[in-house]
Amino acid sequence: MPDSITPPKKKVAVIGAGPVGLAAAAHLLERGLEPVVIEAGPTVGHAVRQWSHVRMFSPWEYNIDKAADRLLSEAGWNRPQPDHYPTGAELVEQYLEPLATRTPLKDHIRTQSLVTAIGRVGFDKVKTRGRDAAPFEIRYQNGKGPEVLRADAVIDATGTWFSPNPAGANGLPAIGERETHDRIAYGMPDVLGRDRPRYAGRCVAVLGGGHSAVGTLLDLAKLKEQEPATNIVWLLRGETPEKSFGGGAADQLSARGALGTAFAALVASGRVTIESGFRVNRIAREGDRIVVAGAGCPGRHVAVDELVVSTGFRPDLDFLRELRLSLDPALECPPALAPLIDPNEHSCGSVRPHGARELAQPEAGFYFAGMKSYGRAPTFLMMTGYEQVRSIAADLAGDDDAARRVELVLPETGVCNGAPASATPATAAAAGCCAPAKPAPAASGCCAGPKAS
């Protein structure tokens, strides 16, 4: 018999086969670990396919993970032009699908497998002694029925796309929101393509002030040029539309800056009816339309044909109930990240690179990564997720130096705290990135402003 026996490879369950989940698997493979990627959808990039029509505001050079790139290069992959801005569809077709089908990752991915629960073998949440040495038990459902996977570690990269925030301003669904769901879309519908019949010539309200809302409003404006009967209403919870204009020319991601600049021009044109300070609390049917009512002012409402809710997303934590988690009470993200990404304190679109140390949980061997690691906070960049999983893979392989090392430089947004797009880089810098936001001006009148007809 040999003097020593090679120990089995550490098995790591990666939940989610999106860009960050597949990048995690690539890094784990390079480290000599065994990834098992579990994806709820029928194919990799299932969430990305839901926004396949959207063009990203970061070019290819920022959207390809280095370990994934190395795997693809060995398979004879033709790398996209680094300065091209891909759509979601291009991201899937030119990157995620080749990564999942033409590299060694193909033998490590299980699709149509919905994770229903994760725990420790032989330990409920309360029991402590010996817990860290017990493997994880991942239960998932596929076409054959319930399945169980045991793993030494877990990386949750499931994202937040399928858990959108509701329309209600208090974080709860607005009264009547569920009953009117057939008139409500969440996220960023394909206004100019697949969903065009739903919105052309209709009165459409868009609720939200982030990139998804801005992109949808710009698409609706293009639709209105082709279908003049289309009417557009922007429902904004805040009082200052300028916060949605971004950094303009000061943004190092030029496409992101151009998005804000184009939106500022649209708002200035008057082609969009703006209802600022509008905090939805009730949605009801009225004939062929739905009436969206605002809180705090009796009688304030808009009557529209369709409502698009672009108010962000939140993590699904239900299947993690038996794990010991430490989360910021407001953002539902790892506590070490909260001060860096809290939109109450700053609105920078980037955050300093971080990794295993900030993402680790009290449950040893469990990590959040990707958009889900940000909890309810917005403006996550894909390359931030790539840096996260590079560090996590190093940590799981026992390479502490690599886990602590920072290997990423993020582009600046050119704006913090809603500096207007017209601000110069100098004035934006003088304002102090991430300084506390100035109080918003008082509303000029609770029920003022035109209503949609």
Side-chain angles (χ1 to χ4, degrees):
M1 292 184 63
D3 294 335
S4 61
I5 299 176
T6 303
K9 291 183 178 180
K10 182 182 288 187
K11 183 180 292 185
V12 182
V14 180
I15 316 301
V20 176
L22 292 182
H27 282 278
L28 291 166
L29 272 183
E30 282 196 340
R31 289 282 181 175
L33 307 177
E34 182 186 352
V36 180
V37 183
I38 305 176
E39 165 59 46
T43 59
V44 299
H46 181 53
V48 178
R49 294 172 194 270
Q50 312 309 306
W51 49 269
S52 60
H53 59 288
V54 178
R55 189 165 299 280
M56 302 176 70
F57 49 62
S58 54
W60 273 115
E61 65 175 308
Y62 292 134
N63 294 316
I64 298 174
D65 172 72
K66 292 179 180 178
D69 191 1
R70 290 187 286 269
L71 282 179
L72 284 163
S73 296
E74 292 174 1
W77 178 59
N78 292 321
R79 187 180 294 103
Q81 289 295 321
D83 58 351
H84 175 70
Y85 290 80
T87 63
E90 290 171 332
L91 184 72
V92 171
E93 294 164 6
Q94 299 178 36
Y95 174 51
L96 298 183
E97 285 183 347
L99 182 59
T101 60
R102 294 169 51 188
T103 76
L105 285 187
K106 66 180 184 295
D107 299 322
H108 297 267
I109 300 170
R110 304 178 187 182
T111 57
Q112 291 186 311
S113 299
L114 175 66
V115 174
T116 57
I118 302 178
R120 291 276 195 181
V121 175
F123 290 78
D124 64 19
K125 193 172 188 176
V126 176
K127 189 175 179 181
T128 299
R129 184 174 299 175
R131 182 181 189 87
D132 291 354
F136 289 92
E137 179 175 302
I138 299 95
R139 295 186 181 180
Y140 62 97
Q141 192 83 20
N142 61 20
K144 297 182 294 183
E147 300 279 354
V148 174
L149 170 71
R150 291 188 175 182
D152 301 293
V154 176
I155 300 173
D156 183 349
T158 54
T160 57
W161 180 261
F162 295 105
S163 301
N165 287 326
N170 57 5
L172 303 175
I175 296 172
E177 183 170 348
R178 293 188 178 95
E179 291 75 13
T180 54
H181 66 91
D182 59 316
R183 296 296 187 91
I184 302 173
Y186 297 85
M188 198 171 178
D190 189 1
V191 169
L192 296 173
R194 179 181 61 246
D195 301 318
R196 180 188 178 100
R198 179 171 181 174
Y199 299 106
R202 313 294 294 281
C203 183
V204 185
V206 178
L207 173 65
H211 292 120
S212 294
V214 167
T216 298
L217 287 162
L218 287 169
D219 282 351
L220 284 168
K222 294 177 184 177
L223 182 62
K224 183 175 177 64
E225 292 174 359
Q226 303 163 12
E227 301 281 351
T230 305
N231 289 317
I232 312 167
V233 183
W234 182 22
L235 302 180
L236 184 63
R237 288 172 177 171
E239 304 289 348
T240 53
E242 293 79 12
K243 285 188 175 182
S244 298
F245 295 168
D251 195 323
Q252 290 183 10
L253 289 177
S254 59
R256 184 171 59 189
L259 183 75
T261 300
F263 185 59
L266 173 63
V267 170
S269 73
R271 288 180 292 159
V272 174
T273 299
I274 302 175
E275 290 280 358
S276 60
F278 196 102
R279 297 169 180 82
V280 176
N281 73 341
R282 187 180 295 268
I283 305 172
R285 296 186 189 275
E286 187 174 280
D288 293 334
R289 287 188 158 186
I290 57 172
V291 175
V292 184
C297 182
R300 187 174 189 189
H301 67 277
V302 293
V304 298
D305 297 304
E306 297 285 344
L307 172 65
V308 178
V309 178
S310 300
T311 54
F313 303 86
R314 59 183 61 179
D316 176 9
L317 302 170
D318 288 348
F319 64 94
L320 305 175
R321 187 177 182 88
E322 281 305 306
L323 297 182
R324 296 181 175 182
L325 304 179
S326 178
L327 300 171
D328 180 78
L331 299 184
E332 297 179 339
C333 68
L337 279 186
L340 308 177
I341 62 178
D342 188 348
N344 293 295
E345 301 299 328
H346 62 90
S347 57
C348 303
S350 61
V351 59
R352 67 170 175 81
H354 53 275
R357 181 174 59 182
E358 292 85 357
L359 300 169
Q361 288 291 315
E363 196 71 74
F366 179 86
Y367 305 85
F368 289 110
M371 186 66 226
K372 192 168 184 177
S373 72
Y374 269 38
R376 298 194 184 198
T379 57
F380 179 81
L381 291 176
M382 198 174 295
M383 56 185 146
T384 297
Y386 295 159
E387 172 68 2
Q388 289 177 341
V389 295
R390 181 206 63 79
S391 174
I392 292 171
D395 191 50
L396 290 172
D399 189 344
D400 295 337
D401 289 340
R404 290 194 299 267
R405 191 166 59 239
V406 173
E407 297 185 4
L408 175 66
V409 177
L410 291 167
E412 295 293 336
T413 64
V415 60
C416 276
N417 301 311
S422 58
T424 66
T427 57
C433 183
C434 304
K438 295 180 179 180
S444 58
C446 178
C447 297
K451 302 294 181 287
S453 59

